[in-house]
Amino acid sequence: MDKGYKSNPILDKLPEHLKQFIKPQDYDDYSAIDQAVWRYVMLKNVDYLSKVAHESYMKGLRQTGISIDHIPNMYGMNRILKEIGWAAVAVDGFIPPSAFMEFQAYNVLVIASDIRQLEHIEYTPAPDIIHEGAGHAPIIANPEYAEYLRRFGEIGCKAISSASDYEMYEAIRHLSIIKEAPGTPQAQIDEAEKHVEELQNRQGAPSEMALIRNLHWWTVEYGLIGTVKNPKIYGAGLLSSIGESTWCMTDKVKKIPYDITAAYQSFDITKPQPQLYVTPNFAFLNEVLEEFANTMALRRGGLEGIQKLIDSKALGTIELSTGLQISGTFTEVVAENNQPVYIQTNGKTALSYREKELVGHGTANHRHGYGSPIGRLKGINLAIEDMSPRDLKAYNIYEGEEVTLEFEGNIVVSGTIITGTRNLQGKIILISFNNCTVTHHGKELFKPEWGTYDMAVGKNVVSAYSGPADVHSFDLITHLPGEKTIKVKKSPERIELETLYQQIRDYRNGDNKTISRHKIFEQLQQNHPTDWLLPVEIYELAKKSHEEDFASEILQHLESVKQERPEVGHLIDGGVSLVNESMVVK
């Protein structure tokens, strides 16, 4: 079956639930206007960022083969990225944060293949190929930063979300789509922004995913490096924004030494950031990441971790001290003395060990849910998992024995033992019973008529995290967002303008030197008098050909555009200055 994209050894390792987000790049869909937008941003960025970006950026541009003159082709990027152990895939706009981070864990750079409109050339809240191709890709050529990105993905995809996080993701995705779609009424954008603000105001305590997304924002997206007095840019959001990369270096943006408190600083994706964090070096990013990971249920487990999974109302996993992993939607925990003594899932559940599903314990075997006691037996100092075969026999925990096990948490398990399952170290991790009753203070938690009872063995919960232990245990190919980026039908005027851009592009590339730039300019003045980028491109060609009279005529026209559209005046001035400076250099 045609994947719709060209694979390679790195992409081959991706699980199917991530491959569902990959889409073809459709390179031929980029118009000449799109290519001109890319070229303008890159010319401006390379000129400015060579002075203010971390040295890895300029080195990375060369190493990843990203061109100033044309939008990168995903196939070409992958040929070069594989040299540094990474790959890139195209996706449709925002994807869920957990999926985005999991791609990173597999050394795969996610690139939204759409490109911002000319009207949003300085900044767009929507992810686009400028942001990710020109922002993220070059900096990962730095090995230390690339490892931070991979490690961040590995830890971040295990962060537990709240029930409202996905609602927020959908709201932000919707806002980014309509803001980037031509012709969206301002009232519709205002309504979407208001909805995002309302969700932010009623989210309550931030989830692990919300906190780690803050860390991602203030480092990977909007990070500065060096000293507060003399910072350099490395965050992709800044590297790809010709407006904010300049703004962020002014005194109007507060610079703060980076530490774990950044996890508690929220952000507004639709506005320039009022403060930014400065890390002394890339190694320090990993130190803070590890410090944050130590606060996560992934490493802390316990009652708090189970409760986070229950609150998330989503698929998650707990790992017991024996290494047994229980994956499902957790709905209940019985606690005594602030310790979990019994856990319960609802619906399909799977049991695994070391991320591999145990034979006979997939969702088909536990399709209605799963419950088990946790902890030690009353009056016995030795935990079941630490018992030798002789100890187990002494306490009648043996195949064929009818036994009653009373736990310290007042969970009582009574039944006939069928068999036990051990891990590679010989510790027993699962005990199966026939005719089994499980109670807590007399309340029945499991009845004999429900079938075989599989009791997990573990004195405590050492980890709790989002997602399944074994990705093959569940059908995860169900999470594609319902709303797609909007492809607006082009008007005849737009098609004509794109044709003019293409003719100038063909002339510059040497594909057609018979084209009359003067006629194109006349047509532009007559039919598209407020367009500013194509006149700048024609001005560049006129200057290179030493046609000073023609160049002066174009400048005069651009002055009239500035009068008509003052909001693009600085963009025109910036483009003209770049051309003039390049001529002086030559």
Side-chain angles (χ1 to χ4, degrees):
M1 189 176 80
D2 181 20
K3 297 185 182 77
Y5 64 93
K6 189 173 181 180
S7 195
N8 60 44
I10 294 174
L11 299 184
D12 287 342
K13 294 177 183 177
L14 289 174
E16 292 301 318
H17 71 276
L18 290 183
K19 290 180 181 178
Q20 69 177 318
F21 294 104
I22 303 174
K23 57 165 270 189
Q25 186 183 18
D26 296 328
Y27 195 87
D28 290 341
D29 286 354
Y30 296 123
S31 71
I33 297 178
D34 295 333
Q35 295 285 1
V37 166
W38 169 272
R39 187 170 183 270
Y40 179 91
V41 172
M42 291 303 292
L43 283 168
K44 285 281 290 179
N45 277 0
V46 170
D47 177 68
Y48 178 66
L49 294 175
S50 62
K51 308 176 187 77
V52 299
H54 186 266
E55 61 180 10
S56 295
Y57 179 74
M58 298 306 294
K59 288 179 182 176
L61 271 180
R62 294 188 291 271
Q63 197 168 340
T64 51
I66 293 174
S67 166
I68 287 174
D69 288 319
H70 56 80
I71 297 168
N73 185 302
M74 211 68 68
Y75 299 155
M77 280 188 70
N78 273 321
R79 282 198 304 273
I80 297 163
L81 286 173
K82 73 176 182 181
E83 300 300 324
I84 55 175
W86 280 70
V89 295
V91 299
D92 182 45
F94 280 113
I95 63 172
S98 59
F100 182 88
M101 292 185 190
E102 195 173 356
F103 270 110
Q104 284 183 194
Y106 282 93
N107 282 26
V108 174
L109 187 64
V110 173
I111 294 181
S113 56
D114 290 331
I115 188 167
R116 66 194 65 178
Q117 296 176 65
L118 175 55
E119 290 74 16
H120 300 154
I121 195 167
E122 288 189 280
Y123 172 78
T124 174
D128 77 331
I129 198 162
I130 292 178
H131 170 78
E132 283 146 337
H136 284 296
I139 206 78
I140 65 169
N142 180 296
E144 194 161 30
Y145 180 75
E147 173 56 18
Y148 168 69
L149 207 60
R150 185 202 66 79
R151 185 70 175 144
F152 198 106
E154 195 172 52
I155 292 170
C157 70
K158 300 293 187 184
I160 300 171
S161 299
S162 68
S164 60
D165 280 344
Y166 198 79
E167 187 180 6
M168 174 62 80
Y169 154 71
E170 289 281 16
I172 290 175
R173 177 179 166 85
H174 171 68
L175 174 61
S176 73
I177 287 172
I178 63 172
K179 283 195 84 166
E180 195 53 39
T184 304
Q186 187 59 44
Q188 189 178 346
I189 294 173
D190 292 344
E191 184 181 349
E193 287 182 337
K194 184 181 178 184
H195 181 52
V196 169
E197 189 177 344
E198 287 172 351
L199 289 176
Q200 286 174 331
N201 291 337
R202 61 179 167 89
Q203 274 203 306
S207 67
E208 287 183 351
M209 179 57 78
L211 294 175
I212 205 164
R213 280 190 69 212
N214 287 345
L215 285 184
H216 194 271
W217 183 264
W218 298 121
T219 61
V220 176
E221 298 294 353
Y222 279 82
L224 299 175
I225 187 167
T227 65
V228 168
K229 298 285 187 185
N230 184 30
K232 297 290 186 181
I233 296 171
Y234 75 91
L238 297 173
L239 292 172
S240 61
S241 171
I242 57 179
E244 202 157 3
S245 61
T246 304
W247 162 258
C248 79
M249 300 306 283
T250 68
D251 292 338
K252 294 177 182 177
V253 177
K254 185 178 180 182
K255 315 299 191 302
I256 306 168
Y258 179 62
D259 60 26
I260 198 170
T261 59
Y264 300 90
Q265 177 62 57
S266 59
F267 58 88
D268 186 339
I269 196 170
T270 66
K271 296 173 184 171
Q273 307 309 311
Q275 75 283 307
L276 295 174
Y277 291 86
V278 187
T279 183
N281 48 57
F282 288 138
F284 188 69
L285 296 179
N286 276 307
E287 288 183 35
V288 174
L289 177 61
E290 289 300 315
E291 185 181 356
F292 180 80
N294 287 335
T295 71
M296 293 171 62
L298 173 68
R299 294 186 180 174
R300 295 169 67 92
L303 179 62
E304 182 184 4
I306 301 169
Q307 193 59 55
K308 284 181 179 180
L309 286 178
I310 292 171
D311 293 342
S312 76
K313 300 179 182 178
L315 175 62
T317 297
I318 65 167
E319 182 173 325
L320 305 183
S321 48
T322 54
L324 181 71
Q325 297 159 319
I326 303 165
S327 300
T329 302
F330 289 82
T331 54
E332 187 179 355
V333 58
V334 178
E336 292 202 357
N337 300 319
N338 208 35
Q339 295 295 321
V341 298
Y342 195 87
I343 55 91
Q344 181 68 52
T345 67
N346 184 36
K348 292 180 178 180
T349 305
L351 308 183
S352 303
Y353 180 72
R354 291 188 173 176
E355 288 73 51
K356 186 175 181 181
E357 184 183 292
L358 294 176
V359 176
H361 293 285
T363 57
N365 306 85
H366 302 289
R367 58 184 176 275
H368 300 302
Y370 178 82
S372 180
I374 297 165
R376 297 171 176 270
L377 296 174
K378 267 187 182 177
I380 301 175
N381 290 329
L382 199 61
I384 294 176
E385 64 205 68
D386 297 325
M387 291 182 181
S388 67
R390 182 177 294 178
D391 295 324
L392 290 168
K393 195 161 189 178
Y395 290 109
N396 288 331
I397 305 174
Y398 209 72
E399 287 87 343
E401 294 289 339
E402 190 173 326
V403 67
T404 295
L405 303 177
E406 189 173 354
F407 288 80
E408 289 178 342
N410 296 303
I411 303 293
V412 179
V413 179
S414 298
T416 302
I417 296 176
I418 305 170
T419 188
T421 302
R422 298 177 183 275
N423 65 17
L424 292 173
Q425 286 72 40
K427 289 189 175 184
I428 192 160
I429 60 175
L430 197 68
I431 301 174
S432 299
F433 295 81
N434 261 340
N435 301 317
C436 190
T437 301
V438 182
T439 61
H440 178 245
H441 291 305
K443 179 185 176 182
E444 284 191 317
L445 303 175
F446 190 91
K447 301 178 181 181
E449 57 266 31
W450 293 354
T452 301
Y453 182 68
D454 299 300
M455 185 187 81
V457 176
K459 53 193 170 191
N460 49 45
V461 175
V462 298
S463 182
Y465 54 87
S466 176
D470 185 338
V471 295
H472 301 102
S473 295
F474 295 83
D475 177 15
L476 302 176
I477 310 178
T478 54
H479 301 304
L480 281 176
E483 186 177 18
K484 304 290 185 183
T485 50
I486 299 168
K487 307 293 184 185
V488 177
K489 188 176 180 181
K490 296 174 182 178
S491 66
E493 292 78 14
R494 174 74 178 192
I495 293 170
E496 182 194 43
L497 183 60
E498 287 182 359
T499 301
L500 298 179
Y501 269 85
Q502 186 64 55
Q503 288 172 337
I504 290 299
R505 184 171 180 79
D506 289 343
Y507 183 91
R508 187 194 314 108
N509 293 343
D511 297 329
N512 189 345
K513 287 292 187 181
T514 64
I515 294 169
S516 170
R517 290 164 293 129
H518 293 266
K519 285 186 178 179
I520 292 172
F521 181 59
E522 289 171 9
Q523 194 173 347
L524 185 72
Q525 285 179 295
Q526 183 175 343
N527 297 336
H528 309 279
T530 61
D531 180 79
W532 66 269
L533 182 52
L534 189 55
V536 170
E537 293 215 324
I538 300 172
Y539 175 75
E540 178 187 5
L541 295 175
K543 291 293 286 184
K544 285 182 177 178
S545 300
H546 304 290
E547 299 172 271
E548 295 302 329
D549 290 343
F550 187 27
S552 296
E553 186 183 351
I554 297 167
L555 284 180
Q556 189 175 352
H557 170 69
L558 284 170
E559 284 300 319
S560 67
V561 175
K562 286 162 65 174
Q563 293 295 320
E564 185 73 22
R565 298 180 63 194
E567 74 276 9
V568 300
H570 65 293
L571 296 171
I572 293 171
D573 292 342
V576 169
S577 295
L578 278 176
V579 172
N580 293 339
E581 288 166 14
S582 69
M583 297 307 296
V584 170
V585 169
K586 289 183 178 180

